[in-house]
Amino acid sequence: MSRKMFLVLSVIIVFAMVMSACAPVVVETAAPVETAAPTEAPATMEPEPMDVTLRWRTRPDNQAEIDVYSSVSADLDAAMDGVTLVYEPGGSETSSYQDVLKTEIGAGTAPDVFWIPGTDVADFATRGLILDMKSMADATDGFSAGDFYPGPMYHLTFNPETNMTGEALWGLPRDVSTFALYLNLDLIAEAGADDPRELAKEGKWTWEAFLDVAKKVQALGSDVYGYGANAWWGPYGVWINSAGGNFYNADRTACGLDTPEAIAGLTFERQLYVEDKVAVPYGEDSEPPFMAGKVAMFQNGRWATPGVRANANFNWDVVELPTGASGQGNWLFWGAYVVNAKTEHPEEAWKLVQMLTTAETQGKIAALGANIPSRMSQEAFDAFLTFTPPANNQAFLNGIADANKPTAEGPLWAGSWPNYDSIMGPMVSKVLNGELTIEDYQKTICVEANKAFEQ
Amino acid sequence: MQLENDQKSIKQTQMIIKVATYWHFLLSFSGIFLLFIILYEHGFGKIPVWLSYIAAILLGLLSIGSFYSGIQLIKNRRQGRTASLVVNYLGLIISILFLFQNLGVFLGVDALANTFGSSIGWLSGVLIGYLVYTAGDRFHYRIHIEEMFHKIGKYIALIFFAIFLIKAGLIPALIFLAKQMIIPTNFVIVFISILFGLAIWAMWREATALYLNRTNAQTEALEGYLFLSPNLIGFLIFFAFPLVFSFYISLTDWDAFGNSNFIGLTNYFKLFQLNLKQLANSSQDFFNVMDGSIFSELLRFNMFGKSYVLGAADARFWIALRNTIVFGIVTVPLSAIPALFLANILNSKIPGMKIFRAIYFLPSIAAVVGISLIWQWLYNATVGYINYFITIGLDFINNIFSTGYPQAQIRWLSDSRTALLAIIIVSAWQTMGFNTVLFLAGLQNVPKELYEAATVDGAGRWAKFWKITLPLLAPTTFFVITTTTIQAFQVFEQVFIMTNPPGSPGTSTLTIVLYLYQNGFQRFQQGYAAAIAWVLFIVIFSVTLLQFRSQRKTGAYDV
């Protein structure tokens, strides 16, 4: 090959590469599993004259969820005239979902619609990263924010400028979740302890009963534990909530971790770890020992169910959390679909957010077992309850029932949640590891944590 | 006739230089005009502030450079040609980058792998064409057959290459490009790029060069810089610019999303804001002596019989700095000393040694994420293998010596006394392999004659190691220690993956880079994170400088 020809070919290759990069991205969407349009149509909007492409993203936990979301995307694509949907599973083994998303928002390449955890809503909204859809929602026939759990909607409709709820709409909750105790029934039976499910039915599932079961199981051996939970704000938060305490004061403008109620909750939890030593040491991942059959009661959310189904080689079920002075103290975890403030198609994006949160769509996701529908609809609950084991699915629904006063996971509108968490977490960790006394903790925690409200 | 042609050529060249001069003045004034728009009119309100500053600086430099070129060209000086070529070349590059950005080429590059992957099979036809072409060389004694093979080979290659390009999406890409060209902005950028290209051609042509009295040195310098330019431009864009930009960011409260205010050295003041107070007694409450809304307790100590407390506005920064320094001080010897001894062992000529060398090197090339996850499992206090094997060992000792050692339940990653050590072990283990290979390379450069002479003098193995190996390995040891120190001060991945939440228990494994990451990406404080990054840079730079100085003093290796 002559030098000239080689040169020409090289130039053509480079040119072709650049040209191909210029071409609009061709995205392969998964074939729809079911082609039928959703039965519960979202509120209607004016049909769009132009064909637009909407990118949307949510954080799936596994490949099965990616497949279902792809299928949902294909179904909605077929149902939305003039709109082409592109689903992007977010996160990977080596990159956090939120980090990638924030980087893309900074670079201006984030999708039109994306999911964020409930705690991030304030940060995203106050920085102008997500769209307030209130005006579009008001103009939409048939839409009602009251169809969703009120806890998440309180924050999703909060207007930081007026400090009033119901005056904005930042998104709609994708799903909700809550804690339950995953039980190793074999271990509990071996220890001769009462079955927590029976105690719960009889209304005797209290902190004392819980501690009794934990102690009996722990007596089986030094490598066996009555209770296990992972080290983040969720698990220790329930003990604080259950004792009648809260992370914040009533209007969420200051720290509430030093109140007698909050201290009572943490003191009980410290007893599990430090005094009675019935719990997997704080900071250790409790899931492996639970799967290995060495933990009787493993506190985790609904998202852990697929993993337990796949890996537990013992009889297991779930039970709701034990009640303290103020009930279960459970969390209502949630995340929301929000619309990128820079989207070029806000109306189509709003329509997509509605369609992603219909009872039918949520039912499909809930049928995988990892999530509880965020829409308070019997259809969605039925889909959730059909997913067994665990036999006692109702324990999750009980956890978020109004009667049990769950605390909605919430963003901090008056401060910085990441800062608050980074102050609270290490100090609680020191308490539960026995490195800090409850008295010293009570003296310092709110002085330190209140700094998160000054930012 | 020849004279006439020469005069015509000179006139043509003069005209070209004249046009180029006008072009430069036009460019200069346009640059100044745009600069005014950016600085006073906020004409590019949509672009971020930092980008408008960069645009202003570039436009300023372009205007000055262009004006200088114009002046020099009027005087027919060769410097005018050089400056003109530089200005136009950079202008062309910037215009093309602008065009690519507008066309979405940088984002579309991600799709290239898919696009080419789907049509790459057609390139085998090009290979066949090439084989046919080269097969013709066998018939060089029959030229017409050779030429026929060459022709067929070329056509086969061209046809398959055309198919490859079409399958790769060239036609829709061209249609897309044509549509994009209708957009006025793109059209203007292409037009400006062509003007820059023409200006380069006008100055590069031989006749212009001769007219402006170019010298060989000038030609060599221009060609040299032209070859250097891809690397130089890459360095400026991807290294020098981010470095300067990050310093600018550290003087702002930028949150990465466009919200930014210049706050001077506030971030640095906050990092270094310390307060030392004397205590009435060693157990006096911190909040009695210092304002808790500003300071957090960092350290309590006794000196000359009196108790003191040190408060910091950002105590976590100091804790992270301390953890990082401890990590570096322990990790460096732990990964260098065993590596030195391993290298000595692996330097021997016994069968299968190459396999051992490969095994020791494996951790260095394995993914940090994978390794960290595996070690996390190994360290698990309840079901981890490390505690399991320690327990087996203890059981064995208990059985043999009738002792009563309890089961090992070391909380490697959940106890603040052991967590950092656990991370250090993993990091040292992972770095050791690479250091071993470096020492091995150093050992193989030590002259064998020295060992032979030492043997003759009656030196033992140990004496040879201390008197010959170690001194002659000084350059390698210096390199190993310097690079391992820099690496240790930047530890992030292991802590991020192995501890949950990262930096726990408490703040016992919080390192500077992790803290930087938390501020930048989790708390939306990119300005503050950039300030931390600069402090880390100064720390690493100082430590490295000290290492260089101490190395010079020994005189073993003159760097």
Side-chain angles (χ1 to χ4, degrees):
Chain A
M1 197 178 286
S2 68
R3 199 178 156 193
K4 209 169 185 179
M5 187 179 170
F6 182 76
L7 196 70
V8 169
L9 272 180
S10 305
V11 171
I12 292 174
I13 288 173
V14 172
F15 180 73
M17 284 176 74
V18 175
M19 286 303 101
S20 303
C22 280
V25 181
V26 179
V27 180
E28 291 174 16
T29 46
V33 176
E34 292 170 45
T35 48
T39 49
E40 186 188 318
T44 51
M45 301 286 292
E46 286 297 312
E48 291 302 316
M50 285 167 64
D51 198 32
V52 298
T53 300
L54 282 185
R55 290 165 57 216
W56 72 282
R57 182 182 298 176
T58 188
R59 186 179 69 182
D61 286 330
N62 48 49
Q63 187 56 44
E65 280 195 22
I66 292 176
D67 294 343
V68 170
Y69 283 121
S70 301
S71 158
V72 163
S73 186
D75 287 353
L76 299 184
D77 188 296
M80 290 176 80
D81 289 338
V83 176
T84 303
L85 294 183
V86 178
Y87 168 63
E88 301 170 359
S92 71
E93 290 291 328
T94 53
S95 57
S96 131
Y97 175 87
Q98 270 103 316
D99 293 350
V100 174
L101 181 66
K102 287 173 188 172
T103 309
E104 289 188 2
I105 291 172
T109 58
D112 301 278
V113 173
F114 49 83
W115 174 91
I116 54 172
T119 46
D120 278 1
V121 168
D123 257 338
F124 277 65
T126 51
R127 288 170 203 279
L129 309 182
I130 55 177
L131 200 67
D132 180 359
M133 296 177 283
K134 173 99 168 98
S135 56
M136 288 187 289
D138 288 345
T140 305
D141 292 336
F143 172 76
S144 168
D147 292 344
F148 298 89
Y149 280 97
M153 292 316 292
Y154 173 89
H155 296 291
L156 282 169
T157 58
F158 189 87
N159 185 341
E161 285 172 10
T162 60
N163 281 331
M164 296 284 285
T165 191
E167 295 190 353
L169 184 65
W170 302 111
L172 294 179
R174 181 188 74 173
D175 49 45
V176 296
S177 196
T178 192
F179 276 137
L181 289 171
Y182 289 79
L183 303 173
N184 181 332
L185 298 173
D186 295 343
L187 209 54
I188 291 168
E190 190 186 339
D194 291 330
D195 187 333
R197 295 170 302 174
E198 296 304 321
L199 291 170
K201 270 182 203 164
E202 294 163 16
K204 295 176 183 170
W205 186 227
T206 59
W207 281 10
E208 292 71 29
F210 165 81
L211 187 58
D212 181 59
V213 174
K215 279 181 175 173
K216 281 180 177 161
V217 172
Q218 204 277 327
L220 289 173
S222 61
D223 61 341
V224 179
Y225 301 92
Y227 168 72
N230 288 336
W232 57 290
W233 58 265
Y236 61 75
V238 295
W239 299 108
I240 292 171
N241 295 343
S242 178
N246 200 306
F247 283 174
Y248 319 110
N249 63 357
D251 59 358
R252 300 170 71 90
T253 53
C255 165
L257 289 162
D258 60 353
T259 61
E261 294 82 8
I263 293 297
L266 198 63
T267 306
F268 180 75
E269 193 182 8
R270 182 187 159 96
Q271 186 186 342
L272 303 175
Y273 286 99
V274 181
E275 279 88 29
D276 293 334
K277 295 189 193 312
V278 294
V280 175
Y282 191 76
E284 290 292 332
D285 186 354
S286 293
E287 195 159 353
F290 177 71
M291 296 302 183
K294 290 180 178 293
V295 178
M297 295 177 283
F298 173 43
Q299 182 184 334
N300 213 336
R302 180 65 189 188
W303 54 84
T305 298
V308 177
R309 278 167 62 108
N311 300 312
N313 294 315
F314 46 80
N315 287 315
W316 68 277
D317 201 354
V318 291
V319 70
E320 53 219 65
L321 299 180
T323 52
S326 188
Q328 280 190 37
N330 220 324
W331 291 109
L332 196 152
F333 298 110
W334 58 279
Y337 285 118
V338 294
V339 173
N340 188 341
K342 288 184 180 167
T343 183
E344 289 174 4
H345 313 290
E347 297 213 337
E348 290 81 359
W350 161 237
K351 191 174 175 184
L352 174 62
V353 169
Q354 291 177 80
M355 295 187 83
L356 284 168
T357 50
T358 59
E360 192 201 17
T361 304
Q362 297 202 331
K364 279 182 193 170
I365 315 288
L368 280 177
N371 302 345
I372 304 168
S374 63
R375 190 179 273 272
M376 294 187 296
S377 129
Q378 197 53 47
E379 183 190 350
F381 289 151
D382 289 345
F384 171 76
L385 288 169
T386 54
F387 186 83
T388 55
N392 190 20
N393 271 320
Q394 190 62 40
F396 288 101
L397 297 184
N398 290 347
I400 50 173
D402 275 348
N404 286 316
K405 293 184 282 183
T407 306
E409 163 191 12
L412 261 190
W413 293 97
S416 160
W417 162 253
N419 269 1
Y420 195 83
D421 185 33
S422 69
I423 295 166
M424 173 176 67
M427 287 193 74
V428 170
S429 155
K430 284 182 180 175
V431 171
L432 299 179
N433 275 321
E435 296 168 21
L436 186 68
T437 63
I438 284 282
E439 290 74 26
D440 286 342
Y441 166 85
Q442 191 172 13
K443 259 191 271 181
T444 54
I445 182 65
C446 278
V447 182
E448 289 295 328
N450 276 333
K451 288 174 185 166
F453 289 94
E454 293 153 15
Q455 289 157 353
Chain B
M1 186 68 181
Q2 178 64 33
L3 190 69
E4 218 172 85
N5 278 344
D6 284 352
Q7 279 176 343
K8 202 177 170 186
S9 170
I10 288 169
K11 273 189 180 172
Q12 195 182 8
T13 303
Q14 283 172 333
M15 179 57 73
I16 286 172
I17 293 172
K18 212 172 193 178
V19 172
T21 309
Y22 289 140
W23 160 249
H24 276 293
F25 285 127
L26 177 70
L27 206 59
S28 180
F29 293 127
S30 308
I32 290 167
F33 179 68
L34 282 173
L35 191 65
F36 271 103
I37 291 180
I38 286 176
L39 293 181
Y40 296 105
E41 300 292 333
H42 302 291
F44 297 100
K46 279 185 181 176
I47 64 172
V49 179
W50 62 271
L51 202 57
S52 63
Y53 284 148
I54 292 165
I57 292 167
L58 285 177
L59 282 171
L61 291 174
L62 178 83
S63 302
I64 294 166
S66 198
F67 190 75
Y68 174 77
S69 309
I71 296 289
Q72 295 299 322
L73 285 176
I74 287 175
K75 294 175 182 173
N76 285 336
R77 286 187 181 163
R78 73 172 77 94
Q79 290 91 331
R81 178 175 173 257
T82 308
S84 169
L85 281 169
V86 171
V87 167
N88 288 314
Y89 179 67
L90 291 177
L92 180 68
I93 298 283
I94 292 169
S95 307
I96 290 173
L97 290 177
F98 246 126
L99 184 66
F100 283 179
Q101 170 67 19
N102 256 23
L103 294 175
V105 170
F106 297 118
L107 297 176
V109 165
D110 287 350
L112 275 181
N114 287 337
T115 318
F116 283 117
S118 61
S119 62
I120 201 97
W122 292 99
L123 278 184
S124 56
V126 178
L127 181 69
I128 292 167
Y130 177 72
L131 292 175
V132 171
Y133 183 94
T134 50
D137 293 344
R138 290 169 174 266
F139 303 98
H140 59 272
Y141 49 88
R142 293 169 75 179
I143 290 173
H144 66 283
I145 296 179
E146 186 185 13
E147 281 181 350
M148 190 183 72
F149 265 90
H150 282 185
K151 204 176 266 182
I152 293 170
K154 276 182 191 175
Y155 284 125
I156 291 175
L158 278 174
I159 289 166
F160 276 97
F161 195 73
I163 296 172
F164 162 73
L165 291 178
I166 291 163
K167 287 279 176 186
L170 186 64
I171 291 171
L174 285 172
I175 294 168
F176 176 76
L177 191 70
K179 283 180 184 170
Q180 290 292 308
M181 284 304 123
I182 301 167
I183 299 169
T185 320
N186 291 339
F187 183 78
V188 169
I189 298 173
V190 171
F191 182 68
I192 292 172
S193 305
I194 292 169
L195 287 182
F196 276 122
L198 285 174
I200 292 170
W201 169 81
M203 284 295 118
W204 190 260
R205 58 196 282 276
E206 190 65 11
T208 313
L210 289 173
Y211 185 82
L212 292 172
N213 304 318
R214 67 119 166 88
T215 60
N216 285 343
Q218 186 198 25
T219 309
E220 274 179 24
L222 277 174
E223 286 177 354
Y225 279 113
L226 186 66
F227 279 109
L228 260 181
S229 64
N231 198 343
L232 204 62
I233 291 170
F235 170 82
L236 288 172
I237 294 175
F238 296 111
F239 187 80
F241 165 67
L243 200 72
V244 176
F245 181 60
S246 78
F247 183 69
Y248 165 71
I249 290 301
S250 75
L251 305 176
T252 68
D253 61 357
W254 191 50
D255 65 356
F257 305 114
N259 309 311
S260 170
N261 297 301
F262 186 80
I263 55 168
L265 294 171
T266 308
N267 287 328
Y268 292 95
F269 283 135
K270 191 185 172 192
L271 282 175
F272 291 105
Q273 195 178 357
L274 295 169
N275 194 359
L276 182 70
K277 291 276 181 187
Q278 191 181 336
L279 297 170
N281 57 65
S282 60
S283 57
Q284 189 183 2
D285 273 354
F286 173 76
F287 303 120
N288 290 342
V289 292
M290 240 178 266
D291 184 355
S293 65
I294 300 171
F295 296 102
S296 302
E297 185 174 336
L298 184 63
L299 185 69
R300 253 168 216 261
F301 60 95
N302 290 312
M303 204 163 61
F304 307 120
K306 288 175 181 168
S307 299
Y308 294 92
V309 65
L310 183 65
D314 187 356
R316 277 175 290 167
F317 163 74
W318 291 99
I319 291 166
L321 189 64
R322 182 200 63 198
N323 290 343
T324 306
I325 291 170
V326 170
F327 183 88
I329 288 171
V330 184
T331 305
V332 174
L334 262 185
S335 56
I337 297 169
L340 177 63
F341 286 100
L342 262 177
N344 273 281
I345 295 166
L346 294 174
N347 198 28
S348 51
K349 287 179 181 168
I350 52 172
M353 198 47 78
K354 282 184 181 170
I355 295 170
F356 280 108
R357 286 178 192 171
I359 289 171
Y360 280 108
F361 191 58
L362 270 179
S364 332
I365 53 168
V368 183
V369 175
I371 282 179
S372 303
L373 285 172
I374 290 168
W375 274 93
Q376 193 186 32
W377 272 79
L378 293 174
Y379 275 137
N380 191 295
T382 52
V383 291
Y385 273 101
I386 293 178
N387 278 354
Y388 174 70
F389 285 122
I390 293 174
T391 304
I392 288 178
L394 289 174
D395 285 346
F396 178 75
I397 291 168
N398 288 340
N399 287 337
I400 298 287
F401 302 106
S402 302
T403 48
Y405 292 116
Q407 274 199 334
Q409 286 186 329
I410 303 168
R411 295 169 53 188
W412 292 100
L413 291 169
S414 62
D415 189 323
S416 54
R417 291 165 300 179
T418 53
L420 193 62
L421 178 69
I423 308 280
I424 286 170
I425 291 170
V426 177
S427 188
W429 171 81
Q430 197 176 10
T431 322
M432 200 168 60
F434 185 67
N435 288 346
T436 305
V437 172
L438 291 174
F439 278 125
L440 205 52
L443 282 174
Q444 285 170 0
N445 284 331
V446 178
K448 300 285 175 287
E449 298 80 22
L450 293 175
Y451 291 111
E452 288 166 9
T455 309
V456 171
D457 288 345
R461 276 173 169 251
W462 195 240
K464 281 185 211 169
F465 177 77
W466 278 110
K467 304 286 182 187
I468 300 172
T469 309
L470 211 53
L472 289 177
L473 270 183
T476 314
T477 311
F478 171 66
F479 180 77
V480 164
I481 289 175
T482 308
T483 53
T484 312
T485 306
I486 293 171
Q487 218 176 328
F489 274 83
Q490 294 175 343
V491 61
F492 172 74
E493 294 98 331
Q494 293 95 335
V495 183
F496 186 69
I497 292 159
M498 290 171 69
T499 58
N500 188 23
S504 66
T507 49
S508 60
T509 58
L510 183 68
T511 60
I512 279 283
V513 179
L514 177 63
Y515 189 54
L516 180 162
Y517 161 82
Q518 287 175 341
N519 275 287
F521 290 91
Q522 293 177 340
R523 295 175 204 148
F524 299 100
Q525 295 172 340
Q526 289 282 344
Y528 198 61
I532 297 170
W534 271 89
V535 173
L536 178 65
F537 168 75
I538 290 163
V539 169
I540 293 176
F541 185 78
S542 309
V543 171
T544 311
L545 202 67
L546 279 175
Q547 286 173 330
F548 266 89
R549 288 202 162 193
S550 64
Q551 189 64 25
R552 273 184 188 158
K553 274 184 189 169
T554 63
Y557 180 44
D558 196 15
V559 286

